Amino acid sequence: MDKLILEDGDTLYLKLYNFLKKDIESEKLTYKLPSIRKLAKKFKVSNFTVIKAYELLEKNAYVFSKKGSGFYIKYNRNNHFFYPEDYMINEEFKYNYFTDNCNIDFSSASPKSNFFPIDILKSTINSILDTQGEKALLYELPQGNIEFRKCILKTLKTMDIETKLENIQIISGAQQGINLISQVLIQNNDIVIVEDPTYKGAINSFKEKGAIIERIPLDKDGINIELLENFLKYNQIRLLYIIPIFQNPTGITLSQEKKYKLLNLAEKYNFYIIEDDSSSELYFKDKIFPLKSLDNKDRVIFIKSYSKIFMPGFRIGFMIVPPSIVSEVIRTKYSTDISTSGLNQRIFQYFLENNIWMDYIFKLRKEYSIKQELLFNELSTITEISFNKPQGGLSFWIKLPPNITGEAIYFKLIKEGVRIIPGVVFSINYSTYLRLSFAQCNSNQIKKGIKLFKKVLSELININ
């Protein structure tokens, strides 16, 4: 920002308004305005003066305000991402639900429904109801059906995870697991560290309990350990939330070296790690074992959801909970929804015990490894973007040219019948990124969708 020149005869807040307006129009100021206190201190004016200037900028559509976060720049001199304020960036706005008028969906990271073993599901439900009757439809114990938990205990051995039956808590999807841990462990002003970017639902859960969120950026092999350790030296944190395998949205997998370092830091600085695992089965080369498999100090709270890659509406998963908080988690689960569907637990137990789940996963890996390769090849023809090829999962994280936003791409592509997720949905620091998922697309849709993406990107580049 240039130096503020004060001229006689102007009202002070108008001077500041015109100064900021000029910097916004010339794009010396981009993305976000400085905090009110910081700007007041810089120019030696009152907070009230800055507030009035910011409010005038908002009134004239140069910025928009976001409660508790600040003022974000809305104006762009080329107008290539100027759009109605109702659709501006915010934590609740889900771009993938913006419109139904799309025939190419790069936004959803859940497999298409035609992969679901519906016929087997039908016969399984009939069999359970025939043999167990109304018992299958009654409330289960809050911790979960004991036979299902025993089945999970056996399954965990294939992931190199050792735990006890009493530490397994059945949940209705990963989000519930995150919510339960937030309620049990987080108090007002506790510090929670998250990866940047990351899953927004987790951040919202932590914030609802009054947590202070600190973001640590990702390297190519996972969270930046050096920055994390530097922060830990001077701050006591409560939780670290990470997605170590095929991270959402980046697709990054935490390296083995960093896994050991994280566990050592958790022990040294006395904090828990929430490990969110929703798609580790979808590896396309070598199997990757969870962080929890190395944890012998009960520092990792392992949350495993089956919903993401099975049937999103099925809502089934489990947590491995440290012994010290098991009782409180069970009480909190009971007060939340009493218990997870007993029928769903029995269905999934049947799937696990009869290899239906593994057959389904094998089919997914085979199909989606082909789709990933196709999308990778199509994206590789676009020289203006950069990205890495994940070891598995269902998405690519795309870095756009510095003057192009994910929102700009989104609003242009939506008119072409193509849906994507702008990077800002996952972090306000990633406006020039987007996530492309191939879960819902066939080969022709991938080719057509990337062709339209090229077209839109070219149009935006030429505007500049």
Side-chain angles (χ1 to χ4, degrees):
M1 292 174 65
D2 293 333
K3 188 175 180 180
L4 178 59
I5 300 173
L6 302 178
E7 297 179 0
D8 292 336
D10 286 338
T11 303
L12 192 55
Y13 83 90
L14 287 176
K15 295 174 186 176
L16 182 57
Y17 163 78
N18 286 316
F19 170 79
L20 294 170
K21 174 174 171 286
K22 180 181 176 183
D23 274 5
I24 291 171
E25 288 177 345
S26 64
E27 295 188 339
K28 289 179 182 177
L29 266 177
T30 58
Y31 196 53
K32 185 180 181 182
L33 294 179
S35 70
I36 291 168
R37 184 177 298 177
K38 183 177 180 180
L39 201 68
K41 185 177 180 181
K42 177 180 176 66
F43 291 134
K44 297 179 180 179
V45 297
S46 69
N47 288 350
F48 181 70
T49 296
V50 178
I51 290 170
K52 287 193 71 176
Y54 280 12
E55 286 177 345
L56 190 57
L57 286 168
E58 184 173 25
K59 183 178 180 180
N60 289 307
Y62 281 89
V63 302
F64 70 98
S65 60
K66 184 178 175 184
K67 188 176 180 181
S69 181
F71 288 79
Y72 294 86
I73 292 166
K74 180 175 177 180
Y75 172 89
N76 181 280
R77 63 184 171 185
N78 295 312
N79 290 325
H80 64 265
F81 65 93
F82 186 86
Y83 42 84
E85 187 167 335
D86 287 347
Y87 304 135
M88 296 301 288
I89 307 158
N90 62 67
E91 293 179 1
E92 288 70 41
F93 179 36
K94 305 299 183 184
Y95 285 86
N96 51 327
Y97 298 125
F98 181 76
T99 179
D100 292 326
N101 298 323
C102 289
N103 48 37
I104 299 176
D105 184 5
F106 285 128
S107 68
S108 174
S110 294
K112 284 183 74 67
S113 58
N114 60 356
F115 280 100
F116 301 156
I118 297 297
D119 290 338
I120 297 176
L121 177 62
K122 289 178 182 178
S123 63
T124 302
I125 292 172
N126 289 334
S127 175
I128 290 170
L129 292 176
D130 287 342
T131 58
Q132 301 185 41
E134 65 179 21
K135 185 180 177 182
L137 303 175
L138 299 176
Y139 284 127
E140 289 290 344
L141 293 172
Q143 195 169 9
N145 179 283
I146 190 166
E147 296 304 321
F148 182 38
R149 290 192 290 125
K150 286 179 181 178
C151 179
I152 287 171
L153 194 62
K154 292 178 183 178
T155 302
L156 286 170
K157 292 180 180 179
T158 67
M159 305 167 76
D160 279 0
I161 293 176
E162 294 290 335
T163 191
K164 295 179 180 179
L165 185 66
E166 56 264 33
N167 296 335
I168 296 174
Q169 169 68 56
I170 304 303
I171 51 178
S172 303
Q175 184 64 57
Q176 185 182 62
I178 295 167
N179 292 344
L180 291 175
I181 296 301
S182 297
Q183 290 180 64
V184 170
L185 288 182
I186 296 176
Q187 297 181 4
N188 199 40
N189 292 325
D190 279 346
I191 298 174
V192 175
I193 289 183
V194 301
E195 299 163 309
D196 194 28
T198 195
Y199 169 55
K200 209 67 154 183
I203 291 178
N204 289 342
S205 182
F206 303 143
K207 283 183 174 180
E208 284 176 5
K209 298 305 296 180
I212 298 169
I213 306 297
E214 295 291 339
R215 297 173 179 268
I216 301 291
L218 290 159
D219 299 325
K220 290 183 178 180
D221 62 344
I223 193 167
N224 187 309
I225 294 290
E226 184 179 350
L227 289 178
L228 173 62
E229 189 165 13
N230 286 340
F231 185 87
L232 292 171
K233 287 177 182 177
Y234 304 101
N235 301 274
Q236 178 61 51
I237 75 166
R238 189 59 166 159
L239 289 171
L240 166 66
Y241 169 78
I242 59 171
I243 308 172
I245 303 176
F246 316 142
Q247 198 264 357
N248 183 25
T250 66
I252 290 170
T253 293
L254 187 69
S255 67
Q256 198 75 355
E257 179 185 1
K258 285 191 173 182
K259 287 178 183 177
Y260 284 112
K261 287 181 178 179
L262 272 186
L263 291 171
N264 289 336
L265 289 174
E267 186 67 15
K268 181 178 179 180
Y269 292 102
N270 190 29
F271 62 88
Y272 286 113
I273 299 171
I274 297 180
E275 177 178 14
D276 189 350
D277 177 12
S278 63
S279 56
S280 63
E281 296 93 339
L282 289 180
Y283 56 88
F284 300 142
K285 289 184 179 179
D286 299 323
K287 184 176 181 177
I288 302 167
F289 292 92
L291 174 64
K292 182 64 180 176
S293 67
L294 304 175
D295 177 32
N296 56 16
K297 301 286 187 179
D298 284 319
R299 288 292 172 184
V300 178
I301 301 167
F302 183 68
I303 298 179
K304 176 65 184 173
S305 171
Y306 293 115
S307 307
K308 187 71 174 176
I309 56 175
F310 181 49
M311 298 179 185
F314 201 72
R315 313 312 300 156
I316 196 78
F318 68 90
M319 290 194 296
I320 300 176
V321 182
S324 59
I325 62 170
V326 165
S327 296
E328 197 168 352
V329 167
I330 294 172
R331 285 195 299 270
T332 306
K333 167 67 173 174
Y334 181 79
S335 66
T336 301
D337 65 355
I338 302 179
S339 66
T340 298
S341 165
L343 179 60
N344 286 2
Q345 291 184 59
R346 286 169 169 80
I347 290 168
F348 214 83
Q349 178 186 341
Y350 183 88
F351 278 20
L352 290 173
E353 290 177 340
N354 293 278
N355 291 321
I356 297 167
W357 173 247
M358 290 311 301
D359 289 345
Y360 171 72
I361 291 299
F362 179 79
K363 180 181 178 182
L364 286 186
R365 279 203 294 265
K366 184 177 179 181
E367 177 74 17
Y368 284 116
S369 63
I370 295 171
K371 289 187 180 183
Q372 188 202 52
E373 190 67 26
L374 174 61
L375 182 54
F376 175 77
N377 291 335
E378 292 293 317
L379 289 171
S380 296
T381 65
I382 309 175
T383 57
E384 297 86 357
I385 63 174
S386 58
F387 59 95
N388 293 312
K389 187 179 183 181
Q391 299 173 51
L394 298 170
S395 303
F396 283 92
W397 184 237
I398 313 294
K399 184 178 182 180
L400 301 166
N403 58 339
I404 305 297
T405 67
E407 298 97 319
I409 299 290
Y410 172 84
F411 282 102
K412 277 189 164 288
L413 277 179
I414 207 77
K415 295 176 182 177
E416 304 283 352
V418 180
R419 191 159 52 196
I420 56 97
I421 300 286
V424 77
V425 168
F426 304 97
S427 170
I428 206 159
N429 298 318
Y430 287 83
S431 62
T432 58
Y433 285 74
L434 57 85
R435 192 190 75 179
L436 290 182
S437 299
F438 47 89
Q440 294 286 321
C441 299
N442 60 36
S443 297
N444 290 333
Q445 288 171 330
I446 289 173
K447 291 176 182 178
K448 183 179 178 182
I450 298 307
K451 184 177 180 180
L452 290 168
F453 174 43
K454 282 184 187 179
K455 169 179 169 288
V456 162
L457 183 62
S458 177
E459 289 173 356
L460 292 171
I461 290 171
N462 289 334
I463 288 175
N464 290 276

